Amino acid sequence: MADHKLCMIPGPVEFDPLVLKAMSTPATSHVDPSFITSFGNAIRLAKQVWLAPSGQPFILSGSGTLTWDMTAANLVEPGENVLVVNTGIFGDWFAECLSVYGGKVDQVRAAFGDIPTLAQIETALKSKSYKLITVTHVDTSSGVLNDIKAVAELVHRVSPNTLIALDGVCSVAAEEIRMDEWGLDVVMTASQKAIGVPPGLALMVVSQRALQVAANRKAPPTTYFASFKKWLPIMQKYEAGQPSYFATPPVQLILALEVSLNQFMKEGMEKRFAKHVEASKKFKQACARFGLKIVPVNDKVAANTLTAIYYPEGVQGGEILKSLSQAGVVVAGGLHPEHNTKYFRVGHMNVSAVEPELGHIDKVISALENSLKSLGKL
C-alpha cells in the first residue's frame, strides 16, 4: 500500500508478507483436511514457541482480554484469594476481571515506571493462602518489564501450591519466556503483537497442573464460551488430526498463525529473543542521545517490546504525534489515565525488530530526530 504509514504502536504491529498472504485465501471449511492439518500444526508449534512441550495450547477467536476471562473463570472459584502483581493499567483491569468471577483480589504495586520488589511479593504471599498469582510481563501502559523468572522462583519456594499466570500479551515471542522450565501455569497473549498476526486470536498455553485444578473445581465455571471443558477436546482433536466443533474457528487467522509460528521456529526462539533486545537497545540509545527520558525508572525494568517516552518539557504531545504521522510513522500516545498526557509509546516487535534490514527502527529514529529539531528541542 503506497499510502501505508509505518505502524509502530505496541500492537497491532507490522506483519510479514507471507502472513498477510495466508489471510487472503479463499473461503475454507473449518473441517477441510488442509485446515485440520494447519490447525494441528499451529497447536504443536505454540508449544515450541512458548517453550512448553508439556503445556496445552488454546487458540480461540477473541482478543487477549479473553484469556483473562478464561484464566479467571476456570481457575478461580468464588471466595478464593488471588494476588495481582500490578505495574499499570493492565494489572488494574486483570484485577477487575478476577473479581468478576468471585476472586478476592489483593495487589502489590509500585510507582509508575517501576515494578514491585520481590520482598513485597514475598510478604504478600506469606500473609495468606493464594490460589493464583498473576503477573503482567510487559504492561504496555508503562513500558515496564517484570522479572517473571524471579517471581516464579519465589512463588515455588514460598507458596508452591499457588498457580502462576503470566499476562504475556506484549511479551510472548519477544521477551524470554520458558514456560515449562520456570514452572508457569498459564501464559497468555494475543495475535497482533509479537506473534505477528492480525488481531482476532486469543492465545494461551496452560500447564497440566492448572488443567487438573480446573477439572477438580467444586463450583462449575461461570462461563460458557471461555470454558476449558468446552475447548480442551477441540484442541486435542485438531492436534490429533481430527475435525471437531464447538464454535467456528477463524480459519484465515489460524492459517496465518501457522505461517508466523513456522517462521519463528526456523529462526529459533533464542535468536528472536536476542533480536528484540538489540532493537530495543538501539531505539532507547537514540532516545538518550536526543535527551529524552523514558518512563521505566531504569534499563533493568524496561521492556524490550516497546519504549514509553516522556515528552520534552514545553512540548505538547499532539505536536510530536502529528509530526511523526506526517513523516509516515504512527506511534501511540500515553495510556495510563494518571499520566497519559505526559508520554508516548513506540512499539518494536515482530518484523520491525527481527528484520533490521527493513529499516523500521531507523525510520522512527530519523522521524523523531527531525520532529524534535522542528520543535527546537535538538
Side-chain angles (χ1 to χ4, degrees):
M1 296 174 60
D3 59 347
H4 172 68
K5 292 183 179 180
L6 186 63
C7 189
M8 297 297 287
I9 67 175
V13 301
E14 290 289 334
F15 306 116
D16 183 272
L18 292 179
V19 171
L20 295 177
K21 184 178 179 181
M23 292 286 296
S24 302
T25 52
T28 302
S29 167
H30 55 282
V31 295
D32 184 279
S34 64
F35 175 70
I36 294 169
T37 298
S38 290
F39 200 171
N41 285 341
I43 292 169
R44 287 184 290 272
L45 286 164
K47 295 181 182 183
Q48 297 179 59
V49 171
W50 268 249
L51 298 178
S54 71
Q56 174 59 60
F58 289 87
I59 300 173
L60 277 67
S61 176
S63 73
T65 307
L66 176 60
T67 64
W68 290 353
D69 281 85
M70 291 188 74
T71 299
N74 290 283
L75 298 179
V76 179
E77 299 193 45
E80 290 183 326
N81 297 316
V82 183
L83 182 63
V84 173
V85 178
N86 190 321
T87 49
I89 277 295
F90 290 93
D92 292 339
W93 292 346
F94 202 168
E96 181 183 0
C97 176
L98 290 157
S99 67
V100 165
Y101 292 95
K104 295 176 66 176
V105 180
D106 294 322
Q107 301 187 51
V108 287
R109 297 176 177 271
F112 182 63
D114 205 353
I115 63 174
T117 66
L118 291 176
Q120 284 178 272
I121 299 170
E122 182 168 358
T123 297
L125 287 171
K126 289 179 175 178
S127 69
K128 64 181 70 171
S129 176
Y130 285 101
K131 177 69 170 295
L132 177 76
I133 181 172
T134 73
V135 182
T136 307
H137 200 188
V138 172
D139 198 304
T140 55
S141 71
S142 59
V144 302
L145 172 72
N146 267 304
D147 186 348
I148 184 57
K149 180 183 179 182
V151 172
E153 289 173 348
L154 171 64
V155 175
H156 290 306
R157 175 173 58 84
V158 174
S159 184
N161 292 327
T162 300
L163 297 171
I164 304 170
L166 182 68
D167 176 351
V169 169
C170 200
S171 66
V172 169
E175 303 283 1
E176 182 181 10
I177 301 173
R178 303 181 186 277
M179 183 173 175
D180 273 13
E181 182 181 331
W182 295 347
L184 308 180
D185 292 293
V186 184
V187 178
M188 302 158 264
T189 193
S191 53
Q192 75 274 13
K193 295 187 183 269
I195 289 292
V197 174
L201 289 176
L203 307 165
M204 63 194 302
V205 177
V206 180
S207 73
Q208 296 301 317
R209 179 173 79 147
L211 289 177
Q212 195 64 40
V213 167
N216 293 335
R217 59 182 290 142
K218 296 175 183 178
T222 53
T223 182
Y224 183 70
F225 184 78
S227 171
F228 284 175
K229 185 177 180 180
K230 291 291 187 182
W231 283 110
L232 182 57
I234 308 298
M235 298 298 119
Q236 291 174 333
K237 287 186 177 180
Y238 271 104
E239 186 176 1
Q242 303 169 21
S244 191
Y245 181 77
F246 169 51
T248 305
V251 173
Q252 276 66 33
L253 282 168
I254 290 172
L255 295 176
L257 177 66
E258 182 197 18
V259 171
S260 189
L261 298 186
N262 260 320
Q263 291 176 335
F264 298 173
M265 297 319 301
K266 287 179 181 177
E267 179 181 47
M269 295 310 296
E270 304 301 330
K271 287 184 178 179
R272 191 169 176 83
F273 296 151
K275 286 184 176 180
H276 278 86
V277 171
E278 291 170 8
S280 176
K281 184 177 180 180
K282 179 176 183 175
F283 184 71
K284 288 177 172 62
Q285 286 178 340
C287 290
R289 289 198 307 272
F290 300 155
L292 297 173
K293 180 183 177 183
I294 65 173
V295 170
V297 295
N298 57 57
D299 291 340
K300 187 177 180 180
V301 302
N304 294 301
T305 51
L306 80 152
T307 303
I309 312 150
Y310 285 111
Y311 294 120
E313 187 175 350
V315 172
Q316 297 296 315
E319 295 176 304
I320 285 185
L321 299 183
K322 181 179 179 180
S323 177
L324 292 174
S325 180
Q326 290 173 339
V329 175
V330 177
V331 301
L335 183 61
H336 196 288
E338 296 178 12
H339 306 274
N340 58 8
T341 61
K342 303 174 185 176
Y343 72 107
F344 65 106
R345 298 168 299 142
V346 177
H348 26 78
M349 285 173 266
N350 196 43
V351 294
S352 296
V354 302
E355 298 182 28
E357 63 274 17
L358 295 175
H360 292 178
I361 303 295
D362 292 330
K363 183 171 182 177
V364 181
I365 291 172
S366 176
L368 182 57
E369 181 178 18
N370 290 335
S371 176
L372 293 171
K373 286 180 177 177
S374 69
L375 294 168
K377 294 299 177 179
L378 272 184

